[in-house]
Amino acid sequence: MAGGGSLKEGGSPVFDITPHKIAVCHLVQVFALHTQPDMPFAFQSISQHHRLGLFLFSLTRSCESFLDPSLEELLNQLKALGGLAMLSEHLISNLLVLSSPDDLFNFFDKLRGVLAAPEGSSMEEEQTLLDPNSHLGIFIRCCILTFNMLPFEGVCHLLTNLVAYCNSNDSTYEMAEDDDFNGSEFHELLEDPEVYCEAAEFEEYGLENDAQAAENLTHIPSKFLSSFLEDNQASDDPRIKHGDGGSQSGGLIPLLNNNFRTDDNLGVLRSRWQIEGYLNMQADLLEKDAISFPLYSFSATLRQLQKLAPELHRARYLQYLNALYHNDYLSALDELHCYFDYSAGMEGLFSRSPSPSSEFEVGRFETALLCLGTLQCHFGHPKKALEALTEAVRIAQQNNDDSCLAYTLAAICKLLSEIGISNMTGIIGSPYSLGTTTGLGTPLSTQQQLLVLLKRSLERADHLKLTNLLAFNHLALAKFDLKHVKKPLLSFGPKASMKLRTCPTSVCRELRLSSHVLSEFGADGLLQLNDTGAFSTSWLKNLSAVGNPWLKKLQKPRSLSVNDYDTFQFYAQPNPMPGSVLQLAGASYLLRATSWEHYGSAPLVRMNALVYATCFADAASSSELSLAYVKLIQHLSVFKGYTEAFNALKLAEDKFSVSSTHIRLLKLQLLHERALHRGNLQEAQQVCDQFGVLASSVTGVHMELKTEASLRHARTLLAANQFSQAAAVASNLFCTCYKFNMQVENATVLLLLAEIHKKSGDAVLGLSYVLASLSFCKTFNLDLLEASATVTLAELWLSLGSSHAKKASSLIYQALPMILGHGGLELRARANIAVAKCLLADPSYLVSEDPDAVLDPLSQASEELQILEYHEMAAEAFYLMAIIFNSLGRLDERENSAASFKKHVIALENPQDEDNLPTHGV
Amino acid sequence: MSSKESYRVELRSAARQLSDRCLYSAAKWAAELLIDIEPDVHAPASSASSSAASARATPSTSSAARPLSHLHPDASAYRRRLRSAAASGDIAATPPAGVSYISTPVPDDDGFNSDGGNDRYLLAKSYFDCREYRRAAHTLRGQTGKKTGFLRCYALYLAGEKRKEEEMIELDGSLGKSDVVNSELISLERELSSLRRIGSIDSFDLYLYGLILKDKGCESLAVTVFVESVNSFPWNWSAWSELQSLCTNTDTLTKLNLKNHWMKDFFLASTYQELKMHEEALKRYECLLGVFRSSDYIQSQIATALYSLRELDEAEVIFEDLLRNDPYRVESMDIYSNLLYAKECFSALSFLAHRVFLTDKYRPESCCIIANYYSLKGQHEKSVLYFRRALKLNRKYLSAWTLMGHEYVEMKNTPAAIDAYRRAIEINPRDYRAWYGLGQTYEVMNMPFYALYYFRKSSCLQPNDSRLWVAMAQCYESAPLQMLEEAIKCYTRAANSNDSEGIALHQLAKLHGVLGHSEQAAFFYKKDLERMEAEGRQGPNMVEAMLYLARYYKSEKKFEEAEFYCTRLLDYTGPERETAKSLLRGLRIAQTAFPSMDIGHFGS
């Protein structure tokens, strides 16, 4: 039963009785007993009655405001329901009547009468009574029960709170007398002269009740949050009060946009269940978009929450997350240890079972270790992370915590695959050494270990029905399949069965399996776990927005980014998929984009990235979303040139903060490529150096980044015609890639080596490299790279003499479909020029007979190269065109081409002239 | 020393003023100190006259300050002189240099113009003494005098505190557990801040204001207010100790703008002690002892500092002395019990426990002492019971939380232990024992990597404690981690910071041996051996060291040294003796064939 949620947590009195609940109880009473003659209030229509019922239902379910709303707020919501003004007055007067403990006793006595007898024996009376097992019935029963269990002291406290609750209603008018508000805050503010002025204004406001002063509120609220409770309740009322004026909405937007909305003022707590709901929601938000959470004010809220509810350790976990996402290593570490010391891992992180184990047992610290490992991983300490995770595995095995074990294995996989590690000897000898191979004594490479771990984790996840993890593991396997050849694990035995190829089909299969697993979410009962009353909350929020047109206006911009619900369509379901599932589903699209990047289909990359950016933006974390944007922008730069790419980059930078690593990398990549094309080698070298700095200095870590950095370095040297140095860097890189088993990168490096030799004029040596690269490309199904290598091969053949022109042209024609279908501007231009050159070198071809056969590809190439601002090759194309025109005797066109040639050569020599776009300061 | 008499006069009037304002513990402190001033044997005439003056002053409160007021003018001149003289060596200044010449505020405005006011004050004070705080405050409503004003505010504050404590118990267990605040804080703060703004606030009000600010969490302002308070009335020890509790690091301490008064030395000494600068604290206390020769307070502080410096025997002597002088003393006896615990003196500890039990069994210190006794006896359940009682009496009793954590560790109740340690850290995040305890707990749970964080924290707070470094090293060395390089680093730190148990040297030698650094290993074995010889110890470690050294020197071809160790080994029984014998035999062969290196190789 839904309403029982708050009682599930067993022993401790999690269900607090608060003034707000008394008010709700009273409303329920009115709702249930409306037919009775002695009720002073009558509903105008049935629908009005129903609306009240819905309202009460969601009031008792809503969770986001972990604090009770003030009476003012409740009344506003009531007003929004329409036609219930009388009811508000009725409610206030009834609450005010409760002035002694005895009144409270009587109130709850009377409340008992609302519930029907359990057997329904006396149904003949003309009353609509509440079914004791209905949602509202359970709510009422909980309230009565809690009240009856209160000691006299508790009743006194309740009474005090009730008086404060009623007073808060008209505190707006009593601000002058309610000097406490200023008094308490004043001296805290005194310490800080800046705020002092605002406080002074604020005091003024208290006396004059001036609409202007409401703006001051926006500067101070976080201060107020940490102040005394009763003061706080006053602070939100004026906001609503003055809201109708609509004049100062500009000043209030920050108040709404930061996460301390009106209902967050810390007053009286609601049930533990609801606070957890709130905290979970905040955790999701934090992960999604940490930047929108101001570090200090959010942690102040959490600290307040901690103070109010010391048993609720989850707030500490949020503190940890907060510090983590704001890259505060020390405090993240502190909070993490603090959280687990207090909770002993009992609250659990993934298996949030509502049954706290009553038996005496040692805490579940494997979870703590898992978190510690992730933390170290996040901050780039792979060795420490690995130690922590290893210990987590050990403790998890010791405590028979299978699900944690599975998660830990997945975390290790993530660590191995994403950050990489130089030395695995530490783990091989460890007690959880990998099953089949221990006896054989053959050390496994990191990749092999990764594969074994992945499979193990997958098995466990499947066995334990951890759907999310299963999907994650499938994705990770797909990632693995994408880049690695699967070798048999045992190094002996019949070698004939070895098939040294990556299998796109297996990647595809894993991807599909991952999505398939997720689609099972709807079928089983997992959905219910996720329902924390978020829907009721949002409905209530919108309800108050209706009553408050000014608020509604403000909510608009927010609703663009968040799935919003219609105001009165209660039956409209919110998105049935939990956020984490959506995230995983999205990740599969992102991975699809990446795999197509490798397999060489630009349109499919774009499509998948677009799908991700449009469909999964809500659930995506900012880093993943930025990755999708990066892919789209890369696509732009390859197909539309740098101007457009930089425009798009600007938008992306606005959307994500500058600190986003993906975006930063992209910017460097774009800058480097443009500098190379323009021939601005100095800038290219600078960007290259910046690249190198981004990677960690530990060997074996951030391998992809390091590879890219030295690849770009070699390319810069090549552009500067320093062939021997370039070759040295490239062959060094090749060694590294070989050492770390990075076969996909090997193909690229080999191709680069071939290019270097081609440019240095050593075509024969280049041939061997390009052939090696081609075979790698075939093995890994890198179609686009293969096409590019083919073009290089053709160029090499061509440079060996005109006798090889036929062979070269046939090679190019072989690759052309791929290039024209999927290739970028540069590759297409290169192919076109190569086609023209082949024809020109072919002795059987006469220019005068069919000039268009060479002129068409050349002009197309020159157009594309101009977009790319690739001066060197553009000059080459124009040069060829000029010669052809010359031999054809088309002098005007020859002059045009020559002029263009000259323009590009000059631009190449003076690269600084066109430096108008942002370059440095990344 | 002419200043002694002035000390006496100052303290005498201060004690009276403090007890008039019902600041009892500060009054107690001042009175104790007053008694402790060494009597002047060769008292000059001036002292006699002034003591006569103070004797005259005794009957009425209002006249108490008169002798001081006429002392005032020449005193300030003296101070000016001193300032120029002591400006250079301010820190090292001995107490006489810091004589204060701030006159005790004359309680002229106490407003006993009408007899009614005085009567009301008397009534209120009686109520206060009977702990009817609200009633006292109510009696004093509308009174304008400074003393009555303070008493009213203070009574209100205490009433609020009392209610707060009650509410804490009432609300215990529910979600709103510790959100209880003293409901009087807001109105009191408003009143006192406005008083401060118009400048008509006296030092006692400032003290109360500081208390309120501290409760509210405005710590920096509280520090300023306390400083103002002690600058205008230095004899209020409660204000000093509140100030001390806010000085959590040396930076805050050095930034304090304190007037140079001899009370400042007490403050500095106790703050140094709290900041674990025990040597500095001891220095100051010894200086102070020059004036307050027989002060129990100073003696107990010195003993505590000595205990923290692990000078157990010296500390014990002082504690015994203290108990002899003042058999009903309970303060700081918990430290004494810790000391006895460390020395495993069963009977002395039981004697002490019995004594304090008879004196006052409901003192947190008494409970702690009894708990220590049970712990020493190995009855951990009972020990926990008494620690719990101590904590019920004072929930901020830091060492009780930590010690209770230790008991829980003994009882293998790790969750409870962790909880207890964490509570200790909540009270004082600089308590290295609690951090250490947490680390130990996790180590017990076989999570060495996780435990490292805690050991790191604790050794960061107490960098010169070899035990912490040894603990950390043991984590690194443990089977799952096997990070021997790091372990060696930690052991080296431990060995450098005076490792009394001698674990570090032995382990260093062993680890170097494991890693094949035979030269370092031999070096440390030798050092360890020397240490054991110096301490006159025997044991398996010694045999191990000698065996290693014998083998090492043999492989290094230093046969004489090798033979030396082998022969020493022969004194021991066990398998090593046989090994030594065979080694010796090998040595002889090698020595005879020494000229030819090749044969030497075969021999080994």
Side-chain angles (χ1 to χ4, degrees), chain A residues 576-596:
Chain A
M577 295 285 265
S580 57
V581 178
L582 272 181
Q583 220 170 343
L584 276 170
S588 92
Y589 276 93
L590 212 50
L591 190 61
R592 255 167 236 196
T594 318
S595 63
W596 281 119

Side-chain angles (χ1 to χ4, degrees), chain B residues 43 59 67 122 144 157 214 260 345 484 529 537 543 546 580 588:
Chain B
L122 281 179
T144 49
Y157 174 74
K214 192 185 155 205
N260 209 8
C345 301
L484 300 186
L529 206 59
R537 268 194 248 177
V543 178
M546 282 192 256
R588 303 254 159 74

Side-chain angles (χ1 to χ4, degrees), chain A residues 12-14 16 151 153-154 157 179-181 183-188 190-191 196 228-231 267 269-272 275 306-312 316 329-330 333-342 344 360-363 365-366 368-369 372 376 383-385 387-388 390-391 394-395 398, chain B residues 163 166-168 170-183 185-187 189-190 193-194 196-197 209 213 215-222 411-416 418-419 422-423 425-426 435 438 442 445-454 456-457 476 478 480-483 486:
Chain A
S12 61
V14 287
D16 260 4
E153 289 95 333
H157 280 290
D179 232 349
D180 289 2
F181 184 69
S184 65
E185 282 306 317
F186 216 57
H187 303 292
E188 226 172 290
L190 268 178
E191 295 172 61
Y196 178 72
F228 290 106
L229 313 176
E230 54 269 35
D231 305 339
L269 286 165
R270 282 204 190 180
S271 77
R272 176 192 184 116
I275 302 169
Q306 256 165 38
K307 223 174 104 194
L308 296 175
E311 292 93 345
L312 201 74
R316 286 182 199 285
Y329 178 74
L330 284 180
L333 197 61
D334 282 347
E335 294 294 346
L336 173 77
H337 282 273
C338 202
Y339 168 66
F340 282 103
D341 281 346
Y342 279 111
F360 178 77
E361 61 168 314
V362 180
F365 288 101
E366 58 271 14
L369 285 161
L372 183 61
Q376 302 282 17
K383 191 138 192 296
K384 284 185 184 168
E387 290 289 353
T390 317
E391 199 160 285
R394 204 158 39 79
I395 301 292
Q398 199 176 302
Chain B
R163 182 70 203 128
E166 285 166 3
E167 271 188 44
M168 234 178 245
E170 283 166 20
L171 296 176
D172 198 19
S174 80
L175 276 176
K177 188 174 168 188
S178 54
D179 66 333
V180 194
V181 285
N182 186 336
S183 55
L185 285 190
I186 297 166
S187 60
E189 192 206 6
R190 200 180 337 150
S193 70
S194 64
R196 183 166 176 249
R197 220 173 307 148
Y209 186 35
L213 288 172
D215 282 1
K216 275 200 64 196
C218 318
E219 302 208 333
S220 56
L221 187 57
M411 288 160 69
K412 302 269 178 300
N413 186 350
T414 40
I418 291 171
D419 184 55
R422 267 289 169 190
R423 299 292 285 268
I425 289 167
E426 248 172 50
W435 287 111
L438 275 174
Y442 285 110
M445 287 161 70
N446 202 8
M447 293 163 69
F449 184 79
Y450 200 71
L452 274 175
Y453 165 82
Y454 299 99
R456 224 174 282 141
K457 274 254 171 198
Y476 277 121
S478 64
L481 283 185
Q482 285 291 332
M483 295 158 84
E486 284 83 354

Side-chain angles (χ1 to χ4, degrees), chain A residues 376 380-390 415 420-423 698 701, chain B residues 449 483 486:
Chain A
Q376 302 282 17
H381 301 294
K383 191 138 192 296
K384 284 185 184 168
L386 199 60
E387 290 289 353
L389 293 175
T390 317
L415 174 69
I421 193 142
S422 56
N423 187 3
V698 182
V701 177
Chain B
F449 184 79
M483 295 158 84
E486 284 83 354

Side-chain angles (χ1 to χ4, degrees), chain B residues 17-24 125 128-129 150-151 154:
Chain B
Q17 295 219 8
L18 287 166
S19 72
D20 277 351
R21 283 171 177 78
C22 300
L23 294 166
Y24 292 125
K125 189 164 181 319
F128 193 102
D129 290 343
F150 171 79
L151 195 61
Y154 191 49

Side-chain angles (χ1 to χ4, degrees), chain B residues 11 34 37 48 110 120 130 160 182 246 319 330 335 374 473 497 518:
Chain B
L11 281 171
L34 176 61
I37 298 178
D110 261 329
R120 275 191 180 278
C130 295
N182 186 336
L246 290 171
F319 275 125
V330 182
I335 314 260
Y374 276 122
S497 44
S518 52

